[in-house]
Amino acid sequence: MASVQLRNVTKAWGDVVVSKDINLDIHEGEFVVFVGPSGCGKSTLLKSIAGFVSPREGRVEIDGRETAKIPVHRKIRECALGFVPQLDNVFNNLTVAENLQTGGQFLPPGQRKQRMAQLAEHYPVLHKKWQSPASALSGGERQILALARALMPEPAVLLLDEPSAGLSPKMLTEVFSAIQTIRRQEKVTILMVEQNAMEALHISDRAYVLALGKV
């Protein structure tokens, strides 16, 4: 688990300010959700923490370490980050097992195999379709696979960008149940962007509400 701090983070695309002077304190092991209307800067804020976009001003710290100058391909490993994007978050042509292997590509072979077996036990829906291509999974199953793949290296911080996007109510329940399983079984700090505010609040510790780029 790790803490996350944002200090006066401002992000703009040209002259359009997406977020302004954002200050956040997320403690080890917390489950915090970002809610607010579309276009208020939630996903951009999450990507700023992950390092996919760079703030114009301010600092992003993980366990007190400023991470802005760490390239994103190194940050995922060095800062133990797991990131699940909203779209295109699995490899359609790879099987469930192969998708998990890509998530654990930097693990020693024995540890990778053990971790895959552990996640298969935690998420039986994946084990049932172990050799099926990801393209054959339902929307909810694909999201659960994306979650499990992000968990392969046992991250300290897990970033989730609208995991309910495009899901039916039944699939949403399945995905949120999987996220609750993560909460119980993994030692991880969770930051989630979510449009379904009431459902997200039921499974999280607290929320930050964003509007017009401000908390």
Side-chain angles (χ1 to χ4, degrees), residues 115-164:
R115 182 62 170 158
M116 289 174 65
Q118 186 180 48
L119 290 170
E121 182 179 350
H122 290 172
Y123 305 105
V125 65
L126 298 183
H127 188 256
K128 290 177 182 177
K129 300 190 176 181
W130 202 242
Q131 297 302 328
S132 298
S135 59
L137 304 183
S138 69
E141 291 166 346
R142 288 162 62 90
Q143 282 289 54
I144 292 171
L145 174 57
L147 290 169
R149 191 180 67 185
L151 290 170
M152 275 293 295
E154 299 184 85
V157 179
L158 181 62
L159 309 175
L160 308 177
D161 191 2
E162 295 208 35
S164 72

Side-chain angles (χ1 to χ4, degrees), residues 7 9 17 20 22-24 29 39 46 50 78-79 88 97 101 116-117 119 123 143 168 172 177 184 188 200 203 215:
R7 296 290 178 260
V9 169
V17 177
K20 178 69 173 176
I22 301 291
N23 289 280
L24 305 179
L46 199 72
E78 290 185 21
C79 301
D88 299 323
Q101 286 175 340
M116 289 174 65
L119 290 170
Y123 305 105
Q143 282 289 54
S168 67
L172 184 149
S177 176
R184 291 193 304 269
V188 63
I203 65 172
V215 175

Side-chain angles (χ1 to χ4, degrees), residues 85-92 142 146 149:
Q86 181 178 341
L87 299 171
D88 299 323
N89 51 22
V90 296
F91 296 109
N92 285 325
R142 288 162 62 90
R149 191 180 67 185

Side-chain angles (χ1 to χ4, degrees), residues 12-149:
W13 303 109
D15 295 330
V16 179
V17 177
V18 181
S19 56
K20 178 69 173 176
D21 293 329
I22 301 291
N23 289 280
L24 305 179
D25 283 285
I26 295 135
H27 305 292
E28 286 187 5
E30 276 197 305
F31 184 174
V32 174
V33 63
F34 302 139
V35 297
S38 296
C40 70
K42 302 185 300 295
S43 291
T44 298
L45 187 63
L46 199 72
K47 291 173 183 176
S48 296
I49 296 170
F52 291 107
V53 299
S54 298
R56 177 176 288 182
E57 300 173 6
R59 296 164 58 93
V60 176
E61 300 178 356
I62 297 176
D63 270 350
R65 177 188 181 188
E66 186 174 8
T67 62
K69 295 183 180 179
I70 304 174
V72 65
H73 67 279
R74 285 176 43 206
K75 186 182 295 186
I76 297 295
R77 295 179 63 187
E78 290 185 21
C79 301
L81 289 179
F83 181 76
V84 180
Q86 181 178 341
L87 299 171
D88 299 323
N89 51 22
V90 296
F91 296 109
N92 285 325
N93 294 329
L94 300 183
T95 66
V96 167
E98 290 167 341
N99 266 278
L100 293 180
Q101 286 175 340
T102 66
Q105 60 181 312
F106 298 113
L107 298 176
Q111 184 180 348
R112 181 169 61 243
K113 184 177 180 181
Q114 182 179 21
R115 182 62 170 158
M116 289 174 65
Q118 186 180 48
L119 290 170
E121 182 179 350
H122 290 172
Y123 305 105
V125 65
L126 298 183
H127 188 256
K128 290 177 182 177
K129 300 190 176 181
W130 202 242
Q131 297 302 328
S132 298
S135 59
L137 304 183
S138 69
E141 291 166 346
R142 288 162 62 90
Q143 282 289 54
I144 292 171
L145 174 57
L147 290 169
R149 191 180 67 185

Side-chain angles (χ1 to χ4, degrees), residues 3 5 12 46 55 92 98 136 173 179 189 213:
S3 61
Q5 297 82 33
L46 199 72
N92 285 325
E98 290 167 341
T173 299
I179 294 171
T189 304

